[in-house]
Amino acid sequence: MAQALEIARWDLECEFNNTDHRTELNGVEQLIVRRGQPFTINLHLRSGEYQPGGSALDLTVETGPQPSDQYGTRASFGLIDQIDTSRWSAAVTSPPGDMVSLSICSPPDAPIGRWRLTLGQGGLVEFVLLYNPWCTGDVVYMDSEEKLTEYVLAQDGIIYRGSWKYLIPTPWNFGQFEDGILEACLRILEMNPKCLRNPGKDASGRKNPIYVSRVLSAMVNCNDDKGVLLGRWTDDYDGGVSPLSWKGSVEILRNWDTNACQPVRFGQCWVFAAVACSVSRALGIPCRVVTNYNSAHDTNSNLVIERYVDENGQLVQKSKDMIWNYHCWVENWMTRPDLKPGYDGWQAMDPTPQEKSEGVYCCGPIPLKAIKEGELTYKYDAPFVFAEVNADVHTFMKREDGSTEKIISSVQVGLKISTKSVGSDRREDITHLYKYPEGSDEEREAFTKANHQNKLLKQQTNAGLLIAIKVSAEMKKGCDFDVFAVVMNNTPNGKKCRLVFGSRAVSYNGILGENCGFKDLLNVELAPGEEKRVPLRMNYSKYAENLTEDNLIRLAALLLDYGTREAYLAVRNVVLENPEIKVRVRFLGNPKRTNCCFTVEGSNLTGGQIITEKLNSTVEPGQDAKVKIYFTPTHSGQRKLVVDFDSNKLGHVKGYRNVIIGK
């Protein structure tokens, strides 16, 4: 009979194991490993030596408060000759002696989270188990080292904002490996209502990234639970900060974790998406943030956005349906064994609270292919995501006498769906993953599947009168500039029309603000084939006090044909550029401070803190000003970054990315 090993002490070999499992950036103070991949523990025996076939060791692993063999949250096993990566197993890899190298492996479908390992009669080891996208047996497996580097390991990235005509890349520090972030992510799982109601079932559910993604979608917002972020879409940020002030996820997650899970104030869609991306990557799920321009918010699930304008072409908020200038969500990578074959890969998941799903403010995950093919019966929330990228837009004019009539409008939704490219700062357009090209047979088939009228049948091939909005080459905040309504008569007859051309401040989610400029021309005459270009002057003195933090202005041009009584509408959102600041970075050996602010945040560089310094000296026009910011990176000594500002172009700084600091 084999003799049980008597263990005096053990070494978890955290530095070796964490590096081997690509978790060393979390630190090497605790054991953090990925499922389906062996890790090593060295056992120092109290007496005797390990002898193959003559020594025994019983091991038990448990997770959650109610561990169960049946639900995969508990397993007991002994030593075998060779590791079996399909189940919990252990094998000795060292020669006979008083020190035993023990290789242990979890199955590739083990629940993630905190685990307890009992060694024999007395040894208790705690470790964290994560998803393993490097393991072929894991449902989050991704067969590309370059993509894994981008979608799991990269701690910084780009989120696209602005408008489909003017895309603004915004840098973001995901910081998933910063100190304390993994603990905050695990706490998110532990605080979710499903865990609080039935912790045993929830712990078992964590083997499935579909389940975990759905939990994260609900927990990143706080609408139904003790979630991370409270959303606000007005200019009143009392009791918190503007969503535009965040540069990364680290401060948000730390604030939530250290303040008794009280919601952090405030977030909007790109912040919700960025935090969800940080948590997904921290747990080992490949993830990316995507931006959908002209994103529809369908509140009544009819796949149609109904919009009403008055006789001045200005939007009337009669319907709850909205078209957001842009909307951000995330995509998580996984297989979908719960669906028929062919729907693996990227799955859309949206943590911004918009509509309830199964009674909770969450959305997804839903395969991108299901959206593209119009398979709206597939889980989860396919109709809502389909409408975001593919809804029809019906525009009606509400007249003063109360009557309404449908007008011709060229508004489309689901434009330039964007994400950061793998391994570079370039934008990748992924619209083709969500929808077929406009006018294709495949697009018509997708709409038929979705029980939705084909939008192509509703487009006017030749409206006779055409109207469009053109803008100036440069539209900088603080300057006056012109925008233009361009009208053209494609009919063989002369036309007499009324042109109403207006502008209003608008937030990125479509909430309208105050008037920024208006023109009403009662008698616009157009000869056959004639084109006219009508300017509208945008004066800074008029629009400055009305702009929101998004720097967005909505332009609407309404053309009324007196002869036919038909109305034609053109709408365009423009983004005003902040004054450009050129930054020259010189490394002097160690990343400082003149009448504007400079902020720095970097993964494993600033300890997850946002460092802000003010320029405190007077800078004459044409002079360069220098700011020096001192900080202590996580894994090295103090360094210094010198930044030179061109004082001719000082303005509000949104952020910079990828300042590479060498040793």
Side-chain angles (χ1 to χ4, degrees), residues 70-118:
Q70 179 182 358
Y71 294 111
T73 52
R74 183 183 185 277
S76 296
F77 52 101
L79 298 177
I80 56 177
D81 293 336
Q82 192 170 2
I83 283 290
D84 181 352
T85 58
S86 67
R87 60 186 177 91
W88 284 103
S89 60
V92 173
T93 58
S94 58
D98 59 359
M99 196 280 288
V100 177
S101 288
L102 188 64
S103 182
I104 302 173
C105 191
S106 65
D109 62 348
I112 65 160
R114 305 180 196 275
W115 283 80
R116 303 172 298 279
L117 167 64
T118 303

Side-chain angles (χ1 to χ4, degrees), residues 328-349:
C328 301
W329 57 77
V330 296
E331 294 170 358
N332 284 354
W333 179 273
M334 66 192 74
T335 62
R336 289 301 297 264
D338 57 324
L339 304 177
K340 69 180 184 181
Y343 291 88
D344 299 337
W346 289 117
Q347 316 284 317
M349 186 265 279

